[in-house]
Amino acid sequence: MRARRIGDVSVGAIGLGGMPMSIEGRPDEQRSIRTIHAALDAGVTLIDTADAYHLYADDVGHNESLIARALATYGGDTSAVLVATKGGHLRPGDGSWTLDSSPDYLKSACEASLKRLGVEAIGLYQHHRPDPKVPYGDSIGAIRDLLDAGKIRMAGISNANPAQIRQAQEILGGRLVSVQNQFSPAFRSSDPELELCEELGIAFLPYAPLGGIGSAGRLGERFPAFEDVARARGVSPQRVCLAWMLRKSPVNIPIPGSSRPETILDSVAADDLELTDDEFAALDAP
Ligand SMILES: NC(=O)c1ccc[n+]([C@@H]2O[C@H](COP(=O)([O-])OP(=O)(O)OC[C@H]3O[C@@H](n4cnc5c(N)ncnc54)[C@H](OP(=O)(O)O)[C@@H]3O)[C@@H](O)[C@H]2O)c1
């Protein structure tokens, strides 16, 4: 797979989103491990996770632990794999998602993620989502402290608007390496953040790139332009979608979620799908 950059780290242009392997509808562990191993075999070197990707109150960090086990049991070299996790969201176990971005909480969450991932420093730690109860600068200040303490190698943010991206970049002293926001054919309103990332030379990680877990399978039905290109090329509309994102910006590194080897392998093949100018224009039209 061709490479893109997050900070000074080179990663495959298509990453793997871990969420479907740990929340509602998650598969058994064996299938998840096969999925992660298939991704690694195919050249995936970015795996996105979060401490909040779990289901029950007592399995916090399910996805981080799963990824750590998958890396430990992989037969090949995993030294180039960047695991990107997040802190600031919680799941009390009733299906809801809650927030805590107080500095003390973020620091304790990072310590717990370090233990689950079994590393001395987290490759990429992302602030998950702004918490209205906490000044944004205080939350990002905690991320800066984690960087300065060597607990995390690189810092990213998620669900941030352009003003928050600029504020984070300032607080981190120019060390912000990534922004992870929702972006898909169904959700295109992250264009200003994508453009700002290009301007600042920061990686943009589109999340829910296929429309999210419940809708990804119907991408072609919902967006005829993607279905038309897919039919003409004899590939899936999901692969066309990811090829569109790669072509749209050199800082885009999509992280499609997967819980089956077949889907991540189909997604990785987007790197080989060169769209024509006409195809790109049809897909990119609002
Ligand atoms: N920062 C945030 O606030 C935030 C929020 C949401 C998600 N995320 C991250 O972004 C990642 C991606 O988002 P997402 O998982 O919610 O949604 P998504 O990537 O849009 O959709 C995931 C679903 O797409 C299916 N899929 C993947 N590749 C496919 C292909 N080539 N053909 C057909 N179906 C395919 C998978 O099905 P199978 O399960 O059957 O394999 C999976 O369940 C998450 O896993 C997570 O890491 C971050």
Side-chain angles (χ1 to χ4, degrees):
M1 205 175 0
R2 281 173 291 185
R4 297 210 165 180
R5 295 201 79 77
I6 301 180
D8 59 3
V9 174
S10 176
V11 294
I14 301 287
L16 169 66
M19 193 168 78
M21 292 181 278
S22 291
I23 66 164
E24 287 80 351
R26 67 191 186 191
D28 61 50
E29 169 130 347
Q30 279 188 335
R31 193 175 104 191
S32 293
I33 298 276
R34 282 203 307 278
T35 303
I36 298 166
H37 287 177
L40 296 170
D41 286 344
V44 167
T45 52
L46 170 65
I47 305 180
D48 181 72
T49 181
D51 57 358
Y53 296 165
H54 67 99
L55 194 47
Y56 308 111
D58 64 355
D59 71 346
V60 176
H62 177 277
N63 200 245
E64 293 177 326
S65 301
L66 171 71
I67 289 164
R69 282 194 292 278
L71 291 174
T73 57
Y74 185 62
D77 181 12
T78 57
S79 58
V81 176
L82 176 65
V83 177
T85 193
K86 313 182 197 79
H89 249 312
L90 297 90
R91 301 204 75 196
D94 58 0
S96 67
W97 297 75
T98 59
L99 293 170
D100 189 346
S101 280
S102 60
D104 285 350
Y105 174 76
L106 288 174
K107 288 177 186 176
S108 67
C110 179
E111 288 293 343
S113 292
L114 277 164
K115 288 199 184 77
R116 283 189 290 265
L117 292 171
V119 293
E120 282 178 16
I122 290 172
L124 172 60
Y125 196 65
Q126 305 158 100
H127 176 242
H128 207 146
R129 187 182 290 273
D131 178 351
K133 300 185 300 301
V134 181
Y136 194 59
D138 292 359
S139 305
I140 303 303
I143 305 290
R144 178 201 54 217
D145 293 348
L146 291 168
L147 257 184
D148 291 343
K151 301 276 184 188
I152 66 176
R153 291 194 205 288
M154 297 193 291
I157 55 176
S158 180
N159 297 296
N161 63 31
Q164 289 164 332
I165 295 171
R166 288 191 187 281
Q167 187 183 357
Q169 181 65 311
E170 194 184 325
I171 291 170
L172 293 169
R175 293 177 292 171
L176 178 67
V177 299
S178 64
V179 174
Q180 179 177 147
N181 275 13
Q182 188 171 2
F183 189 71
S184 69
F187 191 98
R188 299 190 183 214
S189 56
S190 279
D191 267 339
E193 289 85 13
L194 174 58
E195 283 164 22
L196 182 55
C197 285
E198 282 181 12
E199 182 191 321
L200 299 174
I202 292 171
F204 186 88
L205 279 43
Y207 82 64
L210 306 175
I213 294 172
S215 307
R218 290 180 289 110
L219 191 146
E221 282 165 50
R222 298 173 71 207
F223 300 96
F226 289 80
E227 180 71 20
D228 291 349
V229 174
R231 276 183 201 276
R233 293 300 199 97
V235 300
S236 71
Q238 291 82 5
R239 196 186 301 185
V240 170
C241 173
L242 297 168
W244 162 65
M245 290 186 179
L246 293 179
R247 166 84 184 258
K248 189 171 174 67
S249 170
V251 302
N252 258 345
I253 307 175
I255 46 168
S258 221
S259 68
R260 292 181 290 137
E262 303 89 280
T263 49
I264 187 59
L265 294 178
D266 186 67
S267 295
V268 165
D271 183 48
D272 297 324
L273 181 62
E274 290 295 342
L275 300 170
T276 66
D277 291 347
D278 286 348
E279 286 170 335
F280 178 75
L283 299 170
D284 204 45

